[in-house]
Each structure stands twice: as structure tokens, then as C-alpha cells.
Amino acid sequence: MTVQRKVVLFAFIHSFLFTVALCRHSRTDIVDDQGTEVETQSLNGKWILRNNNGSFNLPAEVPGCVHTALQKQNLIQDPYYRFNDLDYRWISLENWTYSLTFTVPHATRRMKRVVLVFDGVDTVSTITLNGVTIGTTNNMFRSYEFAVGGLLVANDNILVVSFMSAVTYAAQRDHAHSAYKVPPACPPLVQKGECHVNFIRKAQCSFSWDWGPSFPTQGLRGVELQAFNFIRLQSSTASTVWDSSLSCWNVEVELSFDVVVATDGCFTLVLPELKLFQKFQLSIKPDQPRQSLHLQIPSNVSVDLWWPNGHGQQTQYLLFMEGRTESRVTFHTETKVAFRTVELVQEPIPSSPGLSFYFQVNGRLIFLKGSNWIPAHAFQDLVTPDTLRNLLQSAVDANMNALRVWGGGVYEQDTFYSLCDELGIMVWQDFMFACALYPTEQDFIETVREEVVQQVRRLKSHPSIIVWSGNNENEAAIATDWFGIPVAERPRYVKDYVTLYVENIRAIVKKEDSTRPFLVSSPTNGAESEKEGFVAHNPYDPHYGDTHFYSYLSDCWDWRQFPRTRFASEYGFQSWPSFSTLSKVSKPDDWDYSSSFSEHRQHHELGNSQMLLQAALHYILPNSTDALKLYRDSLYITQVMQAQCIKMQTEFYRRSRSEIINGEGNTMGALYWQLNDIWQGPSWSSIEFGGKWKMLHHLAVDFFSPVLAVGFEENETLKIYGVSDLSTDLNLTVTVTVYQWSSLTPVCTLVSDPCMLKGGVAMLMIQYSVPALLRDCGKCSRHSCLVTFDLRESANPNSQHGPTSHLFLTSLKDSGLLPVNIKASVERDGDVFAFTLQCDVVAVFVWLDVEDIAGRFESNGFLLLSQKRTVRFHPWRPTTVEELLKKLHITSLRDVY
Ligand SMILES: *[C@@H]1O[C@H](CO)[C@@H](O)[C@H](O)[C@H]1NC(C)=O
Ligand SMILES: *[C@@H]1O[C@H](CO)[C@@H](O)[C@H](O)[C@H]1NC(C)=O
Ligand SMILES: *[C@@H]1O[C@H](CO)[C@@H](O)[C@H](O)[C@H]1NC(C)=O
Ligand SMILES: *[C@@H]1O[C@H](CO)[C@@H](O)[C@H](O)[C@H]1NC(C)=O
Ligand SMILES: *[C@@H]1O[C@H](CO)[C@@H](O)[C@H](O)[C@H]1NC(C)=O
Ligand SMILES: *[C@@H]1O[C@H](CO)[C@@H](O)[C@H](O)[C@H]1NC(C)=O
């Protein structure tokens, strides 16, 4: 916001708000010495933490958890170091107790209602105050409030949160559920995790996942005492609703009050940037604690819409709510609202069985480009706003516009969604259920209901969230029988499924939020699944809904094996993080691709060999006789494999957006699995724990580029598609350049006739017979040459749209790739460093690494086709040319054998 705009805003608020906020003068029958406002006292800070038998007794920070408290007191090492996840398993099997001694001012204690507000309790606990049980908890995804009036004493008050091990609790709940089993009982052994996580409302991945450790910790988010005599505002949610019949926007503010004494109140909503305000008279009674305020935006006031990244601005408007009751309680909230509509379009498509599946924001079709989000740390108290910003900015910098917050993790903190609003990242928000069947006992359903209500109210004001989704893969788990359930017993599980996700979760979401679509699962056939009773015969059907697709051993360079789905919401390949990231949690004995450490960190059955088998289809595997180089090269080759595989697959999805072939196509989303990591280990991520980009993330910048040339071969024909996410048409030519591996001078260059690439379309721009192209270029064979291509404005060949793409005409292991000797020099340029690379033959997958000097190269993992190329490096901490040169490793594909 500019200074000038701020001044205008302030003047507006000043002149309107404070002079008009009061509708009437307050009555005077309120005794003056009774406090009218809510007294809040934070109980965050230093608590005492004890284990079962008292052998541990230590200070512990709230917000915080047991593991971080123990580590902070140096009672344990970094839990992520080597095998510590197993060595520290005992921590999660203990029952820990957090306690706090605190005093409360007399005036606060005297107030009519005193409430303890727990922002989050992870997970199973009994809470006592001065020896009296005030409540129990069993769900980390909701907040809790307990009335404690009358229990507070003049001197020291003792608040004790006695946790029970989440692992013990889950086992007990499973045991108690004796009528029938709710699978899976335990994770696969390779995950080294705990059992029965589906019986506890806790991050499902905290009991281990195929990319992460088992750390089912115990802990507390914020704790606060709130005391008041009359009324307290518990929550407020602002949202915007498009009224299509009146063609106007409404701003809706929902308020939840905790009411001691019924009162009338006067409230004002102010949208200062739109110079709008409206007053409301409310009558607030204890039995009607929820109220809503509607402000209609007059049709002669124009609002700027919120758009996803790449499609326009992310405009948000300040919204103030001021209120005052007759009991002279005042309220003030300050939030942001944004105006955008979202629809999920599922309708018949000509020439195809099935239904379309695409998102339309503000009436515009949007291809969702991005990835899947998992928790950024096993210990959520260690996730800082900086961590989130770095990861989300990395997504935007790779031209992403969407992330799916996956259902096995957590509903993210507010900052996450605010950043997504600001950056234009559309969020596909799962509810936190994943890869399992779930029980439906009364108390389980009740706690889930409260969780869903709270989360929807907390999150619905965020324009970034475009869809709610009930669970991850649970429809598929039943439909394709992951858990060996006898056919005769299936109806019971389908019934539980419908009870939980449809009759409860969906019903609540529909009631609480009419502004975005709801899907019951992912993957799902969407409307077709609903027709089939919510569990479709084949939820992976490419003619409907979204698809998850993994195939680790089939050749990822062969696009024919990918499903031509309507929407690819998960697909991926594993890789290892870089040596500098791994060396923080390992020691020299571990630095071998088949060490016990390498085995231990791999949580996906056969994952380490799958990576090499896939890599070996196209690359010569590293074979250095230097053990450390061999290890580093092996990490490198897994990143090359992953980056190229996901590039191939994503380009296939993007070029399929406008076509129907054999009834399949019109793909409108590509979200690869997965963006980020929870620890330092092999996984499907494109960003390492700590924020370092893998090669995949660097390639994503190009393959998610708004305008892209995609080349592929079909029956010996090179086809080049243009893909555009723009809303304007481009008159383009395709420039095809053929190189020999041995030379940086092109063998030949062909320029196509001008061709119109329409906005929001993928289309074939040009095609060549490969044998003819090679013959006509002369001196070329599939083994000796490679092809590059790009899109340029036909009226101005210097104006290129999108990156220069390339296609290998044969596996690189069979190609004439020559040994290279890349020379590098580094120069400081202000806060950044310019690396200049020189070489005289073509080099592929050129990778610059400066070990633990955190920062980001502007480009990496690239094809080096010029004698000189400069790549800038942005360090995140002070460094020098000398340090950079000392730590620089340059690796290209030809350097590993
Ligand atoms: C107390 O519990 C800890 C952790 O489970 C255990 O290592 C220790 O042996 C126990 N001490 C006693 C005295 O029981
Ligand atoms: C933790 O508490 C539960 C429930 O009281 C009990 O069954 C379990 O044995 C306790 N665990 C330990 C390690 O004492
Ligand atoms: C919109 O119309 C109302 C009533 O007709 C008028 O008072 C107001 O000034 C108009 N606002 C703008 C921005 O034109
Ligand atoms: C490519 O060849 C296959 C097998 O001969 C054939 O089925 C297919 O139709 C061909 N594709 C095109 C686009 O010509
Ligand atoms: C595209 O550009 C070419 C060359 O500048 C021009 O001849 C042609 O008319 C343009 N085509 C369209 C449809 O604008
Ligand atoms: C590594 O493999 C390459 C290619 O097969 C071969 O030329 C080279 O001799 C091998 N090096 C070692 C040390 O085995």
C-alpha cells in the first residue's frame, strides 16, 4: 500500500467510523466499577514438563512440544540426526505432563465468566486447574475452551495438562473397537512407524509416512485466560459472496459471541478503500450467540477481483468491524476480504464419455499448475513464517498457481493461507484424513464435527482456498480394496465412509460455506462417484474427476504410459536431497548409497533401487572409484531422473489441455507430488528440508512457464505443441535448432510459418519427420544430435515467449555425449554473485552446488549450449567469492562415469 493511500484511508476511517459507529448512546444502568471489556491473560511462556516417573523435569516453552523442549535443554540430540527417530521412540510412548503456576489479578477473578482458551492441544489430555478436572481433549485440529469461574484462587493457581501417549491412546481405541477392524492396523515396516493412527485426530503422518519419520509428539499451542462480565467475541469470519441474481457482491461477517447478559449492540462494517460502511443493530442473547452482518456492495461501486498467480492481481480490501453494546463492551476487528468466484465445472464433453473437471475463477478457466504440500516439520512449533514464506515464494517463483494441502498432515497455520492469498496460490484443502478407513463412533464423529466447523470458520475468508476435499485416497482405498476386505463386509465400510465424509463433513461444509465446491475425496470421479454412492467402481477413471498416478519402473520418457486424465492431482518420482542437506544429519560412515543410514531414511519399499532402475533406463549410472564422489554422484543422478521424469509427465498434461484423444483429455491440472520435505531423507519433493531447491524445482520454472513449447515424438514424428495459459492470443513462430553433442555451433535452424497460439489453449504448432529432419540437417543421427525449440513473436523474432525447450532423440546413455570440462569464475555483484561458466561441448543437467551456503541459483540443472553462461546466486547469509569457489561443485551428466 502506498503512503498516500494510507493517508486517505486513515482520513476516511477517522471521519466516518468513529463519529458514526455509535447508533445510540449507551444506557447508564451499568454500574461503573464493573469492567466492561474482556480481560485476557496469556499463559504462554515457560511451563514445567515432566515425564511419567518424574525422571525428566524441565522447563518447556508454550507454544511447544515435548521433543523441542527436550532438545532445547540438551537432554536429547537433534531428533532428525541419523537413527534418532528410533532411539527417541520412548518419548512418544511416555505420558507427559505440562504444568504452570500463575496468579490472576483480583479484578479478573471476580468477573462473571472466566474461560481458559487452548488454541490447540496435541492431542490426548486431561486438564486440571487447582486439582479440579476442567476438561479432556482428543483432537489436535480444534481449539478448546473451558469455563473455570470459581476455581481460581488468590495466590498460585496450578494448571496441569496431563497427556497420554498418542500411540497408547490409538491402540486402546482400536482395541475398544472390537466389533470389526478399521484398517490399516499398522504402517508398512519400512516406515518404522506406529499403529492405529486412524483412531486419533492427530496429524496422520506423525505416526510415520513413506517420506517421513514417526514423531507423535505431545504439546500445546497458545493458552489464554479470558475473563468478562457481559459478552465476548469468540470468533469472526468475513467472506464475500457473489449474488448472481442481483449481480452484486455481498460482504458477510459472521460473529460468534459468548454471552453472559443479553444486550443490544451497534456494529459498523467499513471498507475504507471502497469508501463504504454500514451500520447494524443486533440483539444478542445467550441462546442466539451467532449473528451475521451483510454489506451489499452497490452495483455502481467497482471492486478489483482477486486472481490466481499469472492471471491478474491479488487484490484484497481492508475490512474493519467496530461494535459497541449497550453494556458498553467494544469490539474492533481488522481483516482482509477479496472478491473472487470459483466453480468446479463437471459437465458433458462432446466426443468424450464422462464429464469435464476444471476450475473456473471469476469465470475464467484456469489450468492448475503446482504441487502438493505436506507439513514443513514434524514439530509444528518450529515452523516459522519465514519458512513458510520461503517455500511458498519458491512455488510462485516456479510459476505455480496451486498447492494441495494434503489430508495426512495438518490444517496449516493462518500465516500459510495469508501468504497464499497474497501470492495468488490457489489451495485445494483436504480435510485431515488419509490412506485409511476411519471409525464412526459417536465421540469420534462429534470431535470431527467440531473440528470441521472450527476449521471452515477459520479458513473460509481466504480467497486462496478454492476447494474443500473430504479425504486423501480413501474412496480409492475402498474401491480398489487396499486392505483386503471381503466383499461381503464392504457395505459396512462404505456406510462408514458415507457417514463420515458425506453425512457429517460435507453437510457441515455446505451449511457453513456456500462459496466454494466440495469434493468427497481425491482422487475421485466427482459427480460420477456421487452417482455411484460416493465410492465409484474406479475412482481413477480418466474420464472423470482427478487422478493420482505413480509408476516407478516403467519408462518415464514414454508419455504413452501416462493417463490422459482430466486433472492430475498427484504424480511423482523420488529423489535424494543434496549431500549438504544429508550431511547435517549423518556422518561419514553413512555416505554410501547402500549404507544402513540410506536404508533407514528410505520409507518407501524398494525406493532406493527403484530410483536407480528408472535412472538406468536413460543414463549411465555413477561408477566412480572414489567412494564419496560415487555417493554424491548417486544423489545427483536421482535428482536428474526425478526432474526429467516429472518434466516429461507435466508437459504431457499441459499439452493435453485442449485435446480429446480416444475420449480422454482436456486435462486442466498438474499438481505433482510433492513440494516440500518434513526432514532430510529421500522423497518425492522438489524442495529439500531447509529450502534448497532440487533439480526438479529448477526445471519446474520452465515446465510451468505460462507460455511453453512442448516437444515429443510420436511414430518418428517430432511434434511441437504451443501451450498458453494467457488470456490473449499470440502470433508465433517456432524456431527449431539442431545441435551436435560435440559442438556449440548449431547444425541447422528451421523457422516455422507464423501460427496463432490462442490464449488458454494447447495446440500442435509444427511437426517434422525425425529421420527427414536429421537427414536434411546433415551430419546428424539420433545419437549425435539433439533438438532445441522455442516460440517467438512472428513480428519480432527477438521476442521469445517461454523458455528454450529441448528433446533428446535417444537415451542419453546411448548418445554421443562427450566429456566436458566446465570452467567457472565467480564475481560479486552487490548482494548477489555471478558465476560465469565456460565450456566447449554440450553439457546436460549442469548442476551448481555450493554445499551449505544457503541460497538460490537463478537457474540450475540446465542444458549448457553456449561457450559462456552467467548464472547468478542469491545467498541467504553473508558469504564471499573465496568461500563460494572453495565450496563450488559443478556436475554434469557426463561427469558421473
Ligand atoms: C523413568 O522413565 C524413563 C523413561 O521411560 C526410564 O528411562 C527410567 O528408567 C525410569 N526411571 C525409573 C526410576 O523408573
Ligand atoms: C500412560 O497412561 C496410560 C493410561 O493411563 C497407561 O495405560 C500407560 O501405561 C501409561 N504409559 C506409561 C509409559 O506409563
Ligand atoms: C452510487 O449510487 C449511490 C446511490 O444512487 C450514490 O449515492 C453514490 O454516490 C454512487 N457511488 C458512486 C461511486 O458513484
Ligand atoms: C502411431 O503408430 C501406432 C502403431 O502403428 C498407431 O496405432 C497410431 O495410430 C499412430 N499414431 C499416429 C498419431 O499416427
Ligand atoms: C502473424 O504475423 C505474420 C507476420 O508478422 C503476419 O503476416 C500474419 O498476418 C499474422 N497473422 C495473424 C493471424 O495475425
Ligand atoms: C564407468 O563406466 C564407463 C561407461 O561404461 C566406463 O567407460 C568406465 O571405464 C567406468 N569406470 C570405472 C571406474 O569403472
Side-chain angles (χ1 to χ4, degrees), residues 52 93 95 164 172:
N52 237 33
L93 301 179
N95 301 322
M164 176 179 176
Q172 287 183 0

Side-chain angles (χ1 to χ4, degrees), residues 340-531:
R340 64 111 189 79
T341 59
V342 57
E343 285 160 278
L344 173 57
V345 181
Q346 300 181 74
E347 58 187 22
I349 307 176
S351 74
S352 169
L355 299 172
S356 66
F357 188 90
Y358 61 88
F359 290 92
Q360 207 163 284
V361 175
N362 301 326
R364 187 187 299 170
L365 269 69
I366 309 263
F367 189 106
L368 268 65
K369 298 183 293 191
S371 186
N372 284 265
W373 174 271
I374 65 161
H377 206 295
F379 311 121
Q380 283 290 301
D381 51 301
L382 299 181
V383 179
T384 64
D386 282 348
T387 307
L388 294 176
R389 182 174 281 277
N390 189 25
L391 286 168
L392 294 172
Q393 186 65 50
S394 292
V396 164
D397 290 347
N399 286 310
M400 295 184 181
N401 62 19
L403 290 175
R404 170 167 170 257
V405 175
W406 165 77
V410 296
Y411 304 95
E412 281 296 329
Q413 47 182 289
D414 293 343
T415 307
F416 175 91
Y417 300 97
S418 299
L419 285 165
C420 290
D421 294 344
E422 176 193 320
L423 296 168
I425 298 173
M426 292 176 279
V427 174
W428 172 314
Q429 179 68 48
D430 281 0
F431 286 91
M432 295 299 133
F433 300 87
C435 301
L437 306 183
Y438 285 84
T440 55
E441 289 101 309
Q442 189 65 20
D443 63 340
F444 188 85
I445 292 285
E446 264 161 26
T447 195
V448 167
R449 288 185 67 88
E450 184 59 28
E451 162 191 334
V452 172
V453 168
Q454 289 188 10
Q455 293 297 344
V456 173
R457 289 183 186 167
R458 178 172 74 95
L459 299 177
K460 69 183 266 198
S461 61
H462 293 283
S464 52
I465 299 176
I466 59 155
V467 61
W468 301 108
S469 176
N471 65 67
N472 173 74
E473 298 184 348
N474 299 351
E475 180 185 347
I478 298 180
T480 60
D481 196 21
W482 290 8
F483 307 123
I485 291 169
V487 176
E489 285 180 38
R490 184 185 284 196
R492 159 189 288 162
Y493 293 95
V494 172
K495 183 166 174 290
D496 278 353
Y497 181 90
V498 172
T499 301
L500 181 59
Y501 304 110
V502 182
E503 288 164 9
N504 284 283
I505 297 178
R506 188 174 78 154
I508 295 169
V509 175
K510 292 226 149 163
K511 177 161 164 277
E512 294 285 333
D513 180 13
S514 63
T515 66
R516 28 174 96 69
F518 179 91
L519 288 164
V520 182
S521 188
S522 172
T524 180
N525 293 346
E528 173 61 20
S529 286
E530 300 195 9
K531 236 166 80 183

Side-chain angles (χ1 to χ4, degrees), residues 273-336:
E273 290 139 309
L274 295 174
K275 297 200 166 33
L276 290 174
F277 73 95
Q278 191 164 325
K279 287 184 283 177
F280 304 84
Q281 280 284 351
L282 301 182
S283 194
I284 313 165
K285 303 196 176 72
D287 58 344
Q288 284 169 313
R290 279 181 71 70
Q291 302 272 346
S292 52
L293 316 177
H294 294 246
L295 186 162
Q296 194 179 83
I297 310 282
S299 50
N300 62 352
V301 173
S302 74
V303 297
D304 289 333
L305 299 175
W306 181 95
W307 287 98
N309 176 35
H311 293 270
Q313 298 286 312
Q314 286 75 48
T315 311
Q316 297 184 75
Y317 292 92
L318 284 172
L319 173 71
F320 295 100
M321 193 271 297
E322 294 286 334
R324 184 169 172 128
T325 64
E326 291 200 326
S327 46
R328 287 190 290 166
V329 183
T330 59
F331 305 97
H332 172 83
T333 64
E334 186 180 324
T335 51
K336 286 180 187 159

